[in-house]
């Protein structure tokens, strides 16, 4: 690893770059936030946490959409020795209460009155929460502006403690916690270390590097491991700027304004773009992304073959990837080495093998540190040092990994044969 911790990466980048790093919508246009403000506000946020007695390893929950304050508060929490926990903006009040309580958070950040009311509606169920911080001023919460001002005013007093917390962090210390979807039970908090983050980003840079000249959007939820690692921290490592999308319905419009060079999304979005291009009988695919795009990536679900072939024929292959919260960087197609219907070869630093029952096993320096307060669940995820993904796959003669199903979704016939329904389901989805 070139950097031992997130703090060391952040400190190096804010010294290296000037100009604007984030952009957000303001008065019908885009307003920039400079690297200098990013640095100052992040340290002010960290100082405010320390002034309010954030303990080392204490958690801070972030219930916000894609706004610049998300990375500021996340990295500020890490610098102060805390652990950032993201919450989906679409979560119900009950789901929010569960994660806040389970993570033992004492601080909660919200970005809107709607999110604040969500937290306030379950306030009596959150005995450990000491401070609620809101971007929109409200009598029932500390305003974000006042919180930053508090940190700024006390920077000198808490400078020694901040230096101790930031520089004293170790690679294996937990930096963030990402909660799984909870489809098979209550959400589990996956503990991700500095080592996990830095190794993952460096693996990405050896696979599909982005540069400080690249421009991209931030619109996928930061609380998901993909946007946190391949989005936030990957852009930080590269020194690349990001435009925060305030309205997904206007993404197409923003595409023409911003003209991104890199675009990461989900299969459904590419299906919609494909349908529009075919409907318009257009021959210039790049125009639909603003004209400058050089890299398209997709994950989370299989990409329909006809969509993949269409974009590749237009000179813009959509590079499909595979990973999971417990090890986000597993496999990725490369710009000059991709294969339809696969998620690509293993990524640098990651070993992949397929067990006798077809389960995909992973071993790397990018594996999670365990589930928070769940040692038994953590133990179930490993066998002889290999991470058990629960996904079924095959590796072809060229070393490309193909996902063929989920282990828990196997159908056992009356003759005892195990059949995965995924192939048939994907064919139905494509129709």
């Amino acid at each position: 690893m070139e950097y031992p911790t997130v703090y060391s990466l952040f400190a190096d980048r804010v010294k290296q770059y000037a100009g604007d790093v984030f952009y957000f919508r303001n008065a019908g246009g885009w307003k920039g936030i400079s690297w200098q403000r990013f640095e100052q506000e992040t340290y002010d946020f960290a100082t405010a946490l320390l002034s309010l007695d954030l303990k080392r390893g204490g958690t801070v929950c972030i219930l916000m959409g894609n706004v610049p304050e998300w990375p500021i508060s996340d990295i500020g929490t890490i610098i102060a020795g805390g652990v950032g926990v993201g919450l989906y903006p679409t979560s119900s009040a009950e789901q929010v209460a569960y994660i806040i309580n389970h993570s033992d958070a004492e601080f909660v950040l919200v970005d809107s009155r709607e999110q604040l009311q969500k937290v306030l509606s379950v306030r009596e169920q959150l005995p450990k929460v000491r401070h609620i911080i809101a971007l929109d001023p409200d009598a029932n919460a500390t305003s974000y502006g006042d919180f930053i001002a508090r940190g700024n005013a006390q920077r000198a007093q808490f400078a020694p403690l901040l230096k101790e917390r930031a520089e004293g962090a170790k690679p294996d210390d937990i930096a963030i916690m990402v909660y799984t979807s909870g489809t098979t039970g209550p959400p589990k908090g996956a503990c991700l270390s500095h080592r996990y983050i830095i190794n993952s980003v460096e693996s990405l840079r050896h696979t599909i590097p982005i540069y400080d000249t690249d421009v991209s959007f931030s619109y996928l939820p930061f609380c998901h491991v993909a946007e946190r690692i391949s989005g936030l921290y990957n852009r930080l490592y590269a020194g690349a700027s990001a435009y925060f999308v305030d309205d997904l319905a206007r993404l197409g419009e923003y595409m023409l304004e911003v003209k991104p060079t890199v675009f990461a999304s989900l299969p459904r979005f590419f299906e919609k773009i494909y349908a529009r291009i075919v409907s318009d009988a257009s021959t210039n695919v790049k125009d639909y992304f603003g004209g400058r795009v050089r890299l398209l990536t997709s994950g989370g679900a299989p990409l329909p073959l006809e969509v993949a072939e269409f974009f590749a024929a237009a000179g813009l292959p959509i590079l499909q990837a595979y990973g999971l919260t417990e090890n986000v960087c597993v496999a990725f197609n490369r710009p000059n080495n991709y294969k339809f219907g696969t998620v690509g070869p293993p990524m640098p630093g990651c070993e992949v093998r397929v067990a006798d029952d077809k389960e995909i096993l992973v071993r790397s320096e990018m594996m999670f540190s365990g589930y928070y307060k769940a040692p038994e669940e953590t133990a179930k995820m490993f066998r002889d040092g290999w991470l058990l993904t629960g996904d079924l796959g095959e590796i072809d003669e060229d070393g490309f990994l193909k996902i063929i199903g989920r282990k828990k979704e196997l159908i056992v016939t009356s003759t005892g044969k195990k059949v995965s329904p995924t192939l048939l389901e994907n064919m139905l989805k494509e129709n």
Side-chain angles (χ1 to χ4, degrees), residues 76-131:
T77 297
I78 294 172
I79 290 175
V83 176
V85 179
L87 298 170
Y88 280 97
T90 54
S91 296
S92 67
E94 292 72 22
Q95 291 169 326
V96 164
Y98 177 84
I99 293 179
I100 290 174
N101 282 328
H102 186 269
S103 67
D104 299 316
E106 296 182 352
F107 297 82
V108 179
L109 278 89
V110 297
D111 62 349
S112 66
R113 292 185 182 275
E114 176 189 358
Q115 301 295 5
L116 177 59
Q117 289 306 312
K118 190 183 294 182
V119 175
L120 292 177
S121 72
V122 292
R123 184 67 181 89
E124 293 182 356
Q125 303 173 35
L126 309 174
K128 297 175 186 175
V129 172
R130 294 189 288 119
H131 299 279

Side-chain angles (χ1 to χ4, degrees), residues 149-161:
R150 176 191 180 96
N152 184 265
Q154 301 191 55
R155 284 278 288 276
Q157 179 183 348
F158 286 91
L161 179 57

Side-chain angles (χ1 to χ4, degrees), residues 356-375:
D356 292 339
D357 63 356
K358 298 289 189 180
E359 183 173 10
I360 299 168
L361 309 181
V362 173
R363 184 167 63 185
S364 77
E365 288 292 309
M366 301 173 280
M367 292 192 293
F368 81 131
S369 303
Y371 295 121
Y372 188 55
K373 298 191 293 191

Side-chain angles (χ1 to χ4, degrees), residues 294-372:
R294 68 171 186 85
L295 179 65
L296 302 176
T297 64
S298 178
L303 186 70
L305 182 58
E306 63 179 345
V307 176
E309 290 178 337
F310 177 86
F311 278 91
L316 277 176
I318 301 170
L319 304 177
Q320 297 185 73
Y322 167 71
L324 57 161
T325 302
E326 294 79 2
N327 196 122
V328 69
C329 293
V330 176
F332 218 129
N333 278 287
R334 277 62 157 177
N336 59 350
N337 188 29
Y338 60 88
K339 188 178 291 190
F340 301 139
T342 79
V343 291
M347 295 181 68
C350 186
E351 295 179 71
V352 179
R353 76 179 191 189
V354 176
D356 292 339
D357 63 356
K358 298 289 189 180
E359 183 173 10
I360 299 168
L361 309 181
V362 173
R363 184 167 63 185
S364 77
E365 288 292 309
M366 301 173 280
M367 292 192 293
F368 81 131
S369 303
Y371 295 121
Y372 188 55

